[in-house]
Amino acid sequence: MNRGAQQALGQPFVACSRAQRIVLVRPVLEADLDDWDRAIALVLHRDWLRFNRHIVEPLFTLFAYHDAWLRLGYEHPPGLPRGLEAYQQPPANA
């Protein structure tokens, strides 16, 4: 993000205004690309695609996974520490 902001605006990403940040991040968030657009993005926006694959998609997946368990009625998703007192309390939705 910083490299893209430096190249486009001559300042680090955190120093950009909100509107400038949106313009910089928009290519990353546009996930509905057809094959031709994906090929162009692979050549011209390789860093953005890498950022999307390794940062944005895993974060969305992680939050979707977490929220899915909560919406199903579980108090905590699997793997989340609950504390020693949680086993002594009745479930909140009982």
Side-chain angles (χ1 to χ4, degrees):
M1 297 303 294
N2 279 332
R3 185 174 25 192
Q6 282 292 125
Q7 290 173 351
L9 303 169
Q11 60 186 358
F13 184 76
V14 296
C16 297
S17 69
R18 185 171 193 269
Q20 290 170 327
R21 289 181 188 178
I22 290 171
V23 170
L24 289 169
V25 173
R26 182 164 294 154
V28 177
L29 299 178
E30 292 175 352
D32 295 333
L33 299 176
D34 61 12
D35 291 338
W36 178 249
D37 289 336
R38 190 172 300 278
I40 291 173
L42 186 60
V43 173
L44 300 178
H45 303 292
R46 190 174 56 215
D47 290 339
W48 296 113
L49 290 175
R50 185 178 303 127
F51 180 77
N52 188 33
R53 182 183 318 139
H54 296 292
I55 303 296
V56 175
E57 288 178 6
L59 281 175
F60 286 165
T61 303
L62 178 66
F63 283 115
Y65 174 78
H66 180 267
D67 289 345
W69 282 101
L70 295 179
R71 288 180 185 254
L72 286 172
Y74 291 90
E75 292 180 37
H76 305 284
L80 187 70
R82 295 182 182 100
L84 294 175
E85 69 280 350
Y87 73 93
Q88 298 174 347
Q89 304 297 323
N93 56 2

